[in-house]
């Protein structure tokens, strides 16, 4: 069975010719609405923006839908946006007024949300369909660059409050079958996320060491990758790059890695931003 935009938004599933299988991505989403405002230096986010703007051209075909896993939504059990027309959540503070008027009117996908809930249930992972929840900036900010037409149905999956690595790898594994139906699964976070470290040269070397470890883990075979990511907190400088209790920007990568199945991963973007190393990864 494959999914169409019409069936997803109408709340029912229909069958059509098999679409190309989609890869799985982990992308950085920057700092708040950074791509849509002035910054000092002006080119701070240009490289990341250019990467995001070219993601769509790297895909085998246009996705039938997008599942976003953002580091900015945590709930006791996995939650899934299930509204037909999700609003935007401007969950950033102290930015220029115009950034609170940004729009991204992508439709929701209630049928896909129900499908995700069923797949998670089959894997023993309870979830909740949330018809009121909108898209936070970890979803709409990168999507504005990746798919600016906002015409592909989008569902957002939350992280679980406990940020348990095994549970999030398992959630990704449960959703892997959606890739064969043309659904693009994207983890949206940051490979380095320590607010005290941005702009501080003392964090450059630790971020590079962690980035090297993370890339080795992502590019390993699936069994070794799973084992390494399950124990990511034991990596060099792990807690300097993702302080304990604040690792929510890394965990979307684990969902993406789980959804990768046997596909190998590779680094597709890496840059030093604000004196820290930031990277993106693709599986398949």
């Amino acid at each position: 069975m494959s999914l169409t935009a019409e069936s997803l938004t109408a709340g029912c599933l229909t069958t059509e010719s098999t679409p190309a299988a989609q890869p799985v991505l982990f992308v950085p989403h920057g700092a708040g609405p950074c791509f849509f405002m002035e910054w000092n230096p002006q080119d701070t986010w240009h490289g990341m923006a250019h990467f995001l703007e070219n993601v769509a051209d790297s895909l085998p075909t246009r996705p039938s839908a997008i599942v976003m896993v953002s580091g900015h939504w945590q709930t006791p059990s996995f939650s899934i946006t299930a509204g037909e027309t999700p609003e935007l959540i401007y969950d950033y503070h102290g930015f220029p007024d115009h950034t609170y008027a940004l729009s991204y009117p992508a439709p929701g996908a209630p049928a896909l949300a129900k499908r995700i809930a069923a797949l998670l249930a089959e894997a023993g992972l309870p979830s909740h369909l949330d018809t009121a929840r909108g898209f936070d900036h970890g979803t709409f900010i990168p999507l504005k660059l990746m798919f600016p037409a906002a015409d592909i149905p989008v569902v957002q999956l939350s992280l679980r409050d406990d940020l348990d690595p095994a549970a999030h790898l398992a959630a990704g594994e449960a959703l892997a079958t959606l890739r064969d139906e043309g659904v693009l699964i994207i983890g949206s976070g940051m490979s380095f996320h320590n607010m005290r470290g941005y702009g501080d040269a003392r964090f450059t070397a630790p971020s590079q060491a962690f980035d090297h470890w993370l890339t080795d883990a992502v590019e390993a075979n699936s069994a070794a990758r799973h084992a390494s990511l399950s124990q990511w907190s034991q990596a060099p400088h792990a807690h300097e790059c993702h302080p304990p209790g604040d690792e929510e920007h890394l965990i979307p990568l684990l969902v993406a890695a789980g959804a990768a199945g046997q596909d190998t991963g590779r680094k597709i973007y890496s840059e030093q931003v604000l004196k820290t190393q930031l990277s993106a990864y693709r599986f398949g």
Side-chain angles (χ1 to χ4, degrees), residues 142-156:
L143 286 182
K144 279 181 69 67
L145 294 176
M146 298 165 71
F147 302 98
D151 58 355
I152 299 174
V154 177
V155 168
Q156 185 173 335

Side-chain angles (χ1 to χ4, degrees), residues 2-14 16 62-66 84 107-112 150-154 181-183:
S2 62
L3 306 177
T4 67
E6 291 79 8
S7 68
L8 290 167
T9 55
C12 59
L13 298 179
T14 60
E16 62 174 18
R62 171 188 164 93
S64 61
I66 298 168
E84 294 185 0
L112 177 57
D151 58 355
I152 299 174
V154 177
E181 299 166 15
V183 177

